[in-house]
Amino acid sequence: MPVRYLIVDDEEPGRINLRLALADYPDWQLVAECDGNAAARAALARHDVDVIFLDVQMPGETGLVLARELACLCEPPLIVFVTAFSAHAVDAFEVHALDYLLKPLDDTRLAHAVERAAAMLRQRQREAYGAALRDYAVAGAAPYPERIGVRSVGRIEQVVVDEILWMEAAGNYVELHLPARTVLHRITLNRLEALLDPARFLRVHRGAIVRRDQIASLATGGEGSHRLALRCGGVVPVSGSYLAALKAAMAF
């Protein structure tokens, strides 16, 4: 069955470029091209749509307005944002398991987005995606997310931020350490840190962030190294550049 998709962009060159790029995927079928949210709503009323490529910055209503409307649906179409937004805004898309493309389009990044969307559709993840999208809509009015949509291959899992005891970098992934298991999330530690409440989480190393209420004791090793013991039993290295902030946190 073909993947039915919709392009929403107020600029015609943007629509044309995306349509031509997606022509390389024979299983993907264009339903309509829309120059704004009003046309997109009309197209969605007439057609079944699996994936929407949605421009963020449009005059009048932004693409985020339509995304939040779609969040009310039980099984909304998958949304791939097309954006020239800042890195922080892109972080917000990632942490809620939404996909995005930066302008100008990159063929490799588009291929990844197409593959990810197709995998989610094959595994019937529309309902889980709907939950992630609702989290994103709620987070628009809150400074920090309460849940994270963790992506694996074609799947989404909701992780409550308050259940994360500590986290460590693993290349372009982050290992989220929960009370009974560890979850691998495809995001960098720097990007995730930007969205965490600093009153609840503290970076102690370039590769580690801990929940403040997990801080137990600090030990000094050979050659001036430091290691932080956590209440959950974990042990995390501490680098010198974060030592003062850690000691200040332990003083309270």
Side-chain angles (χ1 to χ4, degrees), residues 55-99:
D55 188 19
V56 174
Q57 294 172 299
M58 295 186 291
E61 288 185 334
T62 70
L64 302 181
V65 173
L66 181 59
R68 293 189 174 107
E69 289 178 12
L70 295 174
C72 298
L73 303 177
C74 181
E75 295 186 5
L78 307 184
I79 295 175
V80 178
F81 283 118
V82 182
T83 177
F85 264 24
S86 67
H88 182 80
V90 170
D91 292 339
F93 302 154
E94 277 203 342
V95 80
H96 292 284
L98 311 181
D99 213 339

Tab-separated table of all heavy atoms in Angstrom, residues 55-99:
chain	number	residue	atom	x	y	z
A	55	ASP	N	5.493	22.926	6.793
A	55	ASP	CA	6.363	24.088	7.014
A	55	ASP	C	5.987	24.729	8.347
A	55	ASP	O	4.803	24.824	8.697
A	55	ASP	CB	6.179	25.084	5.867
A	55	ASP	CG	7.179	26.232	5.923
A	55	ASP	OD1	8.206	26.083	6.607
A	55	ASP	OD2	6.926	27.261	5.285
A	56	VAL	N	6.972	25.165	9.094
A	56	VAL	CA	6.712	25.774	10.392
A	56	VAL	C	6.401	27.260	10.250
A	56	VAL	O	5.393	27.748	10.746
A	56	VAL	CB	7.916	25.558	11.337
A	56	VAL	CG1	7.713	26.318	12.645
A	56	VAL	CG2	8.105	24.069	11.615
A	57	GLN	N	7.253	27.982	9.562
A	57	GLN	CA	7.111	29.430	9.464
A	57	GLN	C	6.292	29.808	8.237
A	57	GLN	O	6.802	29.819	7.117
A	57	GLN	CB	8.494	30.080	9.417
A	57	GLN	CG	9.282	29.898	10.707
A	57	GLN	CD	10.704	30.369	10.569
A	57	GLN	OE1	11.449	29.853	9.751
A	57	GLN	NE2	11.095	31.347	11.373
A	58	MET	N	5.034	30.120	8.462
A	58	MET	CA	4.135	30.549	7.384
A	58	MET	C	3.386	31.784	7.862
A	58	MET	O	3.123	31.932	9.059
A	58	MET	CB	3.157	29.434	7.014
A	58	MET	CG	3.801	28.197	6.423
A	58	MET	SD	2.593	26.968	5.825
A	58	MET	CE	1.882	26.405	7.384
A	59	PRO	N	3.035	32.694	6.957
A	59	PRO	CA	2.302	33.895	7.369
A	59	PRO	C	0.913	33.531	7.881
A	59	PRO	O	0.329	32.519	7.474
A	59	PRO	CB	2.221	34.713	6.076
A	59	PRO	CG	2.403	33.719	4.965
A	59	PRO	CD	3.311	32.666	5.513
A	60	GLY	N	0.412	34.339	8.797
A	60	GLY	CA	-0.887	34.027	9.384
A	60	GLY	C	-0.705	32.955	10.440
A	60	GLY	O	-0.111	33.178	11.487
A	61	GLU	N	-1.189	31.767	10.164
A	61	GLU	CA	-1.043	30.642	11.080
A	61	GLU	C	0.243	29.871	10.775
A	61	GLU	O	0.487	29.507	9.628
A	61	GLU	CB	-2.231	29.688	10.958
A	61	GLU	CG	-3.527	30.205	11.534
A	61	GLU	CD	-4.609	29.152	11.472
A	61	GLU	OE1	-4.544	28.263	10.593
A	61	GLU	OE2	-5.512	29.206	12.311
A	62	THR	N	1.021	29.598	11.776
A	62	THR	CA	2.209	28.779	11.573
A	62	THR	C	1.818	27.300	11.497
A	62	THR	O	0.685	26.915	11.840
A	62	THR	CB	3.198	28.946	12.739
A	62	THR	OG1	2.655	28.333	13.927
A	62	THR	CG2	3.500	30.416	12.988
A	63	GLY	N	2.754	26.503	11.061
A	63	GLY	CA	2.506	25.064	11.011
A	63	GLY	C	2.256	24.459	12.376
A	63	GLY	O	1.595	23.419	12.495
A	64	LEU	N	2.766	25.109	13.427
A	64	LEU	CA	2.564	24.590	14.780
A	64	LEU	C	1.090	24.627	15.171
A	64	LEU	O	0.619	23.792	15.953
A	64	LEU	CB	3.392	25.399	15.782
A	64	LEU	CG	4.905	25.440	15.526
A	64	LEU	CD1	5.605	26.245	16.611
A	64	LEU	CD2	5.478	24.044	15.441
A	65	VAL	N	0.340	25.589	14.639
A	65	VAL	CA	-1.095	25.657	14.925
A	65	VAL	C	-1.789	24.406	14.403
A	65	VAL	O	-2.580	23.764	15.112
A	65	VAL	CB	-1.716	26.916	14.296
A	65	VAL	CG1	-3.235	26.907	14.451
A	65	VAL	CG2	-1.127	28.174	14.924
A	66	LEU	N	-1.487	24.030	13.166
A	66	LEU	CA	-2.094	22.832	12.591
A	66	LEU	C	-1.632	21.583	13.336
A	66	LEU	O	-2.433	20.670	13.580
A	66	LEU	CB	-1.739	22.725	11.113
A	66	LEU	CG	-2.330	21.525	10.356
A	66	LEU	CD1	-3.857	21.545	10.417
A	66	LEU	CD2	-1.852	21.509	8.906
A	67	ALA	N	-0.363	21.535	13.729
A	67	ALA	CA	0.153	20.376	14.461
A	67	ALA	C	-0.609	20.170	15.756
A	67	ALA	O	-0.954	19.039	16.123
A	67	ALA	CB	1.637	20.549	14.733
A	68	ARG	N	-0.900	21.264	16.452
A	68	ARG	CA	-1.617	21.135	17.721
A	68	ARG	C	-3.074	20.730	17.503
A	68	ARG	O	-3.666	20.062	18.340
A	68	ARG	CB	-1.498	22.436	18.518
A	68	ARG	CG	-0.064	22.685	18.978
A	68	ARG	CD	0.068	23.841	19.962
A	68	ARG	NE	1.446	23.898	20.442
A	68	ARG	CZ	2.342	24.806	20.099
A	68	ARG	NH1	1.984	25.775	19.261
A	68	ARG	NH2	3.565	24.780	20.580
A	69	GLU	N	-3.655	21.114	16.381
A	69	GLU	CA	-5.007	20.636	16.051
A	69	GLU	C	-4.984	19.129	15.808
A	69	GLU	O	-5.841	18.389	16.283
A	69	GLU	CB	-5.531	21.359	14.817
A	69	GLU	CG	-5.885	22.810	15.036
A	69	GLU	CD	-6.365	23.479	13.759
A	69	GLU	OE1	-6.646	22.764	12.768
A	69	GLU	OE2	-6.469	24.719	13.736
A	70	LEU	N	-3.992	18.685	15.052
A	70	LEU	CA	-3.886	17.264	14.746
A	70	LEU	C	-3.606	16.442	15.997
A	70	LEU	O	-3.941	15.256	16.058
A	70	LEU	CB	-2.792	17.032	13.702
A	70	LEU	CG	-3.052	17.648	12.328
A	70	LEU	CD1	-1.839	17.478	11.421
A	70	LEU	CD2	-4.282	17.023	11.682
A	71	ALA	N	-2.992	17.066	17.002
A	71	ALA	CA	-2.696	16.364	18.244
A	71	ALA	C	-3.964	15.895	18.949
A	71	ALA	O	-3.918	14.985	19.779
A	71	ALA	CB	-1.881	17.265	19.177
A	72	CYS	N	-5.098	16.495	18.621
A	72	CYS	CA	-6.364	16.100	19.244
A	72	CYS	C	-6.902	14.789	18.680
A	72	CYS	O	-7.798	14.175	19.268
A	72	CYS	CB	-7.404	17.200	19.059
A	72	CYS	SG	-6.955	18.774	19.838
A	73	LEU	N	-6.377	14.359	17.539
A	73	LEU	CA	-6.835	13.120	16.921
A	73	LEU	C	-6.206	11.910	17.611
A	73	LEU	O	-5.067	11.976	18.073
A	73	LEU	CB	-6.479	13.096	15.428
A	73	LEU	CG	-7.014	14.248	14.581
A	73	LEU	CD1	-6.516	14.108	13.145
A	73	LEU	CD2	-8.539	14.277	14.628
A	74	CYS	N	-6.928	10.817	17.661
A	74	CYS	CA	-6.403	9.603	18.281
A	74	CYS	C	-5.230	9.046	17.488
A	74	CYS	O	-4.221	8.639	18.056
A	74	CYS	CB	-7.516	8.560	18.391
A	74	CYS	SG	-6.984	7.009	19.163
A	75	GLU	N	-5.366	9.009	16.166
A	75	GLU	CA	-4.307	8.498	15.303
A	75	GLU	C	-4.027	9.530	14.202
A	75	GLU	O	-4.454	9.375	13.060
A	75	GLU	CB	-4.698	7.151	14.689
A	75	GLU	CG	-4.859	6.042	15.722
A	75	GLU	CD	-5.089	4.693	15.092
A	75	GLU	OE1	-5.037	4.592	13.857
A	75	GLU	OE2	-5.337	3.722	15.833
A	76	PRO	N	-3.319	10.588	14.528
A	76	PRO	CA	-3.070	11.644	13.543
A	76	PRO	C	-2.081	11.198	12.486
A	76	PRO	O	-1.341	10.224	12.681
A	76	PRO	CB	-2.473	12.763	14.399
A	76	PRO	CG	-1.794	12.045	15.506
A	76	PRO	CD	-2.674	10.865	15.822
A	77	PRO	N	-2.044	11.897	11.359
A	77	PRO	CA	-0.976	11.641	10.383
A	77	PRO	C	0.378	11.925	11.021
A	77	PRO	O	0.483	12.764	11.919
A	77	PRO	CB	-1.269	12.632	9.248
A	77	PRO	CG	-2.659	13.115	9.480
A	77	PRO	CD	-2.927	12.996	10.935
A	78	LEU	N	1.409	11.247	10.565
A	78	LEU	CA	2.754	11.554	11.034
A	78	LEU	C	3.163	12.909	10.474
A	78	LEU	O	2.897	13.211	9.313
A	78	LEU	CB	3.739	10.481	10.564
A	78	LEU	CG	3.391	9.030	10.888
A	78	LEU	CD1	4.522	8.115	10.426
A	78	LEU	CD2	3.114	8.843	12.368
A	79	ILE	N	3.801	13.712	11.300
A	79	ILE	CA	4.210	15.047	10.881
A	79	ILE	C	5.721	15.106	10.759
A	79	ILE	O	6.441	14.724	11.681
A	79	ILE	CB	3.737	16.119	11.875
A	79	ILE	CG1	2.214	16.199	11.902
A	79	ILE	CG2	4.321	17.491	11.499
A	79	ILE	CD1	1.677	17.157	12.942
A	80	VAL	N	6.190	15.578	9.617
A	80	VAL	CA	7.601	15.899	9.433
A	80	VAL	C	7.663	17.412	9.261
A	80	VAL	O	7.230	17.944	8.235
A	80	VAL	CB	8.201	15.186	8.208
A	80	VAL	CG1	9.666	15.588	8.027
A	80	VAL	CG2	8.075	13.668	8.348
A	81	PHE	N	8.153	18.103	10.281
A	81	PHE	CA	8.265	19.545	10.193
A	81	PHE	C	9.359	19.923	9.192
A	81	PHE	O	10.416	19.290	9.131
A	81	PHE	CB	8.619	20.156	11.550
A	81	PHE	CG	7.466	20.233	12.507
A	81	PHE	CD1	7.501	19.553	13.714
A	81	PHE	CD2	6.363	21.003	12.207
A	81	PHE	CE1	6.442	19.632	14.599
A	81	PHE	CE2	5.300	21.094	13.081
A	81	PHE	CZ	5.337	20.403	14.291
A	82	VAL	N	9.105	20.954	8.423
A	82	VAL	CA	10.111	21.534	7.538
A	82	VAL	C	10.390	22.926	8.103
A	82	VAL	O	9.487	23.759	8.152
A	82	VAL	CB	9.613	21.618	6.084
A	82	VAL	CG1	10.705	22.178	5.185
A	82	VAL	CG2	9.175	20.241	5.599
A	83	THR	N	11.613	23.163	8.556
A	83	THR	CA	11.843	24.332	9.383
A	83	THR	C	13.205	24.972	9.163
A	83	THR	O	14.166	24.297	8.813
A	83	THR	CB	11.701	23.958	10.877
A	83	THR	OG1	11.991	25.083	11.686
A	83	THR	CG2	12.661	22.838	11.248
A	84	ALA	N	13.257	26.266	9.407
A	84	ALA	CA	14.519	26.985	9.480
A	84	ALA	C	14.690	27.521	10.893
A	84	ALA	O	15.424	28.465	11.130
A	84	ALA	CB	14.542	28.131	8.469
A	85	PHE	N	13.986	26.908	11.848
A	85	PHE	CA	14.019	27.344	13.237
A	85	PHE	C	15.395	27.162	13.850
A	85	PHE	O	16.239	26.460	13.323
A	85	PHE	CB	13.005	26.526	14.051
A	85	PHE	CG	11.672	27.218	14.230
A	85	PHE	CD1	11.241	28.178	13.339
A	85	PHE	CD2	10.852	26.871	15.277
A	85	PHE	CE1	10.016	28.804	13.497
A	85	PHE	CE2	9.624	27.478	15.454
A	85	PHE	CZ	9.210	28.443	14.561
A	86	SER	N	15.584	27.740	15.008
A	86	SER	CA	16.848	27.617	15.735
A	86	SER	C	17.021	26.200	16.251
A	86	SER	O	16.076	25.401	16.305
A	86	SER	CB	16.857	28.573	16.927
A	86	SER	OG	15.886	28.173	17.877
A	87	ALA	N	18.231	25.889	16.668
A	87	ALA	CA	18.546	24.557	17.180
A	87	ALA	C	17.685	24.209	18.385
A	87	ALA	O	17.275	23.061	18.553
A	87	ALA	CB	20.029	24.462	17.542
A	88	HIS	N	17.373	25.193	19.238
A	88	HIS	CA	16.578	24.887	20.418
A	88	HIS	C	15.187	24.411	20.032
A	88	HIS	O	14.648	23.490	20.644
A	88	HIS	CB	16.470	26.106	21.330
A	88	HIS	CG	15.696	25.842	22.588
A	88	HIS	ND1	16.255	25.204	23.675
A	88	HIS	CD2	14.413	26.087	22.921
A	88	HIS	CE1	15.342	25.095	24.628
A	88	HIS	NE2	14.217	25.634	24.193
A	89	ALA	N	14.586	25.026	19.029
A	89	ALA	CA	13.264	24.592	18.592
A	89	ALA	C	13.328	23.191	18.013
A	89	ALA	O	12.426	22.380	18.216
A	89	ALA	CB	12.705	25.569	17.564
A	90	VAL	N	14.394	22.892	17.280
A	90	VAL	CA	14.562	21.551	16.731
A	90	VAL	C	14.680	20.539	17.848
A	90	VAL	O	14.147	19.427	17.771
A	90	VAL	CB	15.799	21.490	15.812
A	90	VAL	CG1	16.141	20.067	15.426
A	90	VAL	CG2	15.548	22.323	14.561
A	91	ASP	N	15.366	20.895	18.946
A	91	ASP	CA	15.448	20.009	20.095
A	91	ASP	C	14.051	19.631	20.580
A	91	ASP	O	13.784	18.487	20.929
A	91	ASP	CB	16.178	20.695	21.254
A	91	ASP	CG	17.647	20.929	20.958
A	91	ASP	OD1	18.175	20.238	20.069
A	91	ASP	OD2	18.246	21.788	21.601
A	92	ALA	N	13.157	20.617	20.621
A	92	ALA	CA	11.810	20.346	21.097
A	92	ALA	C	11.108	19.337	20.202
A	92	ALA	O	10.369	18.480	20.675
A	92	ALA	CB	11.005	21.656	21.143
A	93	PHE	N	11.316	19.419	18.885
A	93	PHE	CA	10.719	18.434	17.996
A	93	PHE	C	11.251	17.049	18.321
A	93	PHE	O	10.508	16.082	18.414
A	93	PHE	CB	11.041	18.747	16.530
A	93	PHE	CG	10.590	20.111	16.078
A	93	PHE	CD1	11.233	20.749	15.035
A	93	PHE	CD2	9.525	20.743	16.685
A	93	PHE	CE1	10.825	21.999	14.602
A	93	PHE	CE2	9.111	21.994	16.264
A	93	PHE	CZ	9.769	22.622	15.219
A	94	GLU	N	12.574	16.937	18.499
A	94	GLU	CA	13.191	15.632	18.718
A	94	GLU	C	12.753	15.006	20.031
A	94	GLU	O	12.483	13.815	20.099
A	94	GLU	CB	14.718	15.753	18.712
A	94	GLU	CG	15.317	15.750	17.343
A	94	GLU	CD	16.775	15.320	17.369
A	94	GLU	OE1	17.401	15.349	18.429
A	94	GLU	OE2	17.271	14.959	16.304
A	95	VAL	N	12.697	15.797	21.089
A	95	VAL	CA	12.428	15.216	22.387
A	95	VAL	C	11.007	14.669	22.465
A	95	VAL	O	10.713	13.802	23.282
A	95	VAL	CB	12.691	16.247	23.513
A	95	VAL	CG1	11.538	17.205	23.676
A	95	VAL	CG2	13.019	15.550	24.822
A	96	HIS	N	10.118	15.122	21.614
A	96	HIS	CA	8.763	14.591	21.585
A	96	HIS	C	8.541	13.634	20.420
A	96	HIS	O	7.405	13.352	20.040
A	96	HIS	CB	7.745	15.735	21.542
A	96	HIS	CG	7.721	16.508	22.813
A	96	HIS	ND1	7.115	16.029	23.948
A	96	HIS	CD2	8.270	17.679	23.150
A	96	HIS	CE1	7.270	16.906	24.920
A	96	HIS	NE2	7.973	17.909	24.451
A	97	ALA	N	9.647	13.130	19.851
A	97	ALA	CA	9.582	12.081	18.829
A	97	ALA	C	8.974	12.541	17.521
A	97	ALA	O	8.519	11.737	16.731
A	97	ALA	CB	8.813	10.864	19.357
A	98	LEU	N	8.943	13.834	17.286
A	98	LEU	CA	8.518	14.344	16.002
A	98	LEU	C	9.735	14.447	15.101
A	98	LEU	O	10.846	14.648	15.563
A	98	LEU	CB	7.886	15.730	16.156
A	98	LEU	CG	6.823	15.858	17.250
A	98	LEU	CD1	6.273	17.266	17.270
A	98	LEU	CD2	5.718	14.855	17.042
A	99	ASP	N	9.539	14.322	13.804
A	99	ASP	CA	10.672	14.410	12.899
A	99	ASP	C	10.688	15.781	12.246
A	99	ASP	O	9.700	16.514	12.267
A	99	ASP	CB	10.593	13.321	11.833
A	99	ASP	CG	11.980	12.849	11.421
A	99	ASP	OD1	12.941	13.605	11.651
A	99	ASP	OD2	12.103	11.744	10.869
